[in-house]
Amino acid sequence: MGRPLRSEQVADDEVSIVHAVQRCVRRAFLAGIDQATGTDYGYRREWIRRRMEALASVFGVDVLTYAVMSNHMHLILRNRPDVVLAWTDQEVALRWLKVFPGRRIEEHLGEPTESDVQMLVADRERLAEVRRRLSDISWFMRSLSEPIARMANRQDECTGRFWEGRFKLQRITDEAGLLACAMYVDLNPVRAAMAESPDESVHTSGYDRIKGDQGQEIDSAAFDLVPITTEQAGAERRNTPVDELRETKRAKRKNPRGRRIRRDGWLSPLTLDGSTLASDAALNHDGVRASDKGFLGISLKDYVKLLRWTAKQSEEGAGRNVPPSLQGLVSRLGIDLSMWRDLVWNFQRYFGNSCCAGSPSGMSQFAESSGRKWARGYRRVAECFAA
């Protein structure tokens, strides 16, 4: 039985949470230490993180969890068509033109002008398509992957693929699957022996949240959502030398708005607000992310505590006894306490070949909704949940 179509996994008009994986071509360490030459390309992981941060400020897609590794990356994303629907036509046009301005100046993307925005707003059919794309996970991943590939190829003075192909997509069906998947993603560097704990796992959402909670700030990579006037754009191109224009644009990309934010400020908040209605879009008004809606029914403090404990259970068969203070976080989701460590550390064993990840009931419901009789891996996953 083949995988469901992308359209079966994520509908354009409904909010969905997915686990996306993108690998480098031939799984080469193109963002780590090249095994053939010994060259360290680890700094490219920050390229990817900053690009994600920038896209989170313009797309109607929430970045819930992420991990950038040496030869692949994991993201848990939530599309937000409800948020995009609440944006004005001018906001939609400007956000799209910030990512796809439609022209280049000496290989540097040109800033959209007020007239560019108005021209797109006047094209109703095109604007409707753009509005749909701004909450489309495939367009988000395309906007993330392509510029990174171009930058790396330019640096390496070569052509060809950087990524092996289309990203792998997996639907998260419920909170049990979401918590397990989030822990699995945040613990990727620990599992790969790149770090000893989440506190040292740079380029993961877990690290960002821990440091953000401690008050650490970073230069914001969010797009500056203000169009320039047509006159200003024309004067800049006529009067500014190309080298100076290139340097100005390069400097602006480092901190487009000239502001600093909490290290995790661009990520979706972790904890769901119990006082907020489920249907509330919870728009973010700081311009650093799509919304202020959380995604888990636990506090950041409890999440980090469970994350750190799970990270220490590295040996097979370990972690059979979840500490009493953490048992409620796991058992309320129906997960067998003795299987929690196994479910997270061996996430790929249980869900790697499945089109979805979640509790047995959640996987069954998704399979039925996508026209299947069952979801692959259902029986094995059932072993990790209490009867």
Side-chain angles (χ1 to χ4, degrees), residues 12-66:
D12 292 339
D13 58 351
E14 67 178 33
V15 178
S16 306
I17 298 178
V18 300
H19 172 212
V21 182
Q22 182 75 292
R23 297 188 181 278
C24 293
V25 65
R26 296 184 180 180
R27 303 195 179 188
F29 282 53
L30 300 181
I33 299 177
D34 189 311
Q35 297 176 345
T37 65
T39 304
D40 188 356
Y41 295 111
Y43 54 86
R44 289 176 177 171
R45 296 165 67 196
E46 181 63 11
W47 288 3
I48 297 170
R49 191 208 65 78
R50 281 185 59 83
R51 182 63 181 178
M52 272 193 286
E53 181 185 347
L55 294 177
S57 70
V58 291
F59 270 81
V61 175
D62 292 326
V63 180
L64 309 187
T65 310
Y66 81 92

Side-chain angles (χ1 to χ4, degrees), residues 16 31 57 66 78 84 115 129 193 207 226 233 385:
S16 306
S57 70
Y66 81 92
R78 178 173 58 192
V84 177
S115 62
E129 177 63 16
Y207 178 88
V226 178
F385 285 78

Side-chain angles (χ1 to χ4, degrees), residues 64-217:
L64 309 187
T65 310
Y66 81 92
V68 183
M69 306 295 286
S70 297
N71 63 355
H72 68 284
M73 60 181 173
H74 293 266
L75 299 88
I76 300 182
L77 305 171
R78 178 173 58 192
N79 65 319
R80 299 302 304 276
D82 55 335
V83 169
V84 177
L85 190 63
W87 292 338
T88 66
D89 291 347
Q90 286 73 20
E91 284 180 297
V92 169
L94 178 57
R95 287 169 181 269
W96 179 258
L97 291 171
K98 279 291 181 177
V99 185
F100 300 101
R103 63 169 179 271
R104 291 181 181 275
I105 304 174
E106 290 294 321
E107 292 302 318
H108 289 270
L109 295 179
E111 291 289 323
T113 65
E114 292 175 346
S115 62
D116 293 331
V117 172
Q118 293 307 317
M119 285 177 62
L120 180 52
V121 169
D123 188 342
R124 308 308 298 176
E125 184 176 345
R126 173 66 174 166
L127 186 68
E129 177 63 16
V130 163
R131 189 182 288 273
R132 183 192 66 78
R133 288 179 178 180
L134 281 175
S135 62
D136 189 312
I137 288 173
S138 291
W139 275 93
F140 181 94
M141 292 297 294
R142 171 183 175 178
S143 304
L144 170 62
S145 302
E146 287 187 1
I148 299 299
R150 287 197 299 268
M151 289 170 64
N153 283 353
R154 187 182 304 119
Q155 184 183 70
D156 294 341
E157 298 181 345
C158 69
T159 59
R161 289 189 173 187
F162 183 89
W163 307 104
E164 68 176 6
R166 290 195 73 191
F167 64 95
K168 177 183 175 183
L169 186 68
Q170 184 178 56
R171 179 71 174 264
I172 306 296
T173 64
D174 50 33
E175 190 178 1
L178 181 54
L179 179 61
C181 190
M183 292 271 173
Y184 164 73
V185 171
D186 275 335
L187 291 180
N188 254 252
V190 177
R191 292 176 62 253
M194 295 172 62
E196 293 186 359
S197 72
D199 301 71
E200 301 172 5
S201 301
V202 186
H203 300 114
T204 67
S205 52
Y207 178 88
D208 286 353
R209 294 188 192 280
I210 291 170
K211 296 303 181 181
D213 193 48
Q214 294 172 357
Q216 186 178 112
E217 293 186 341

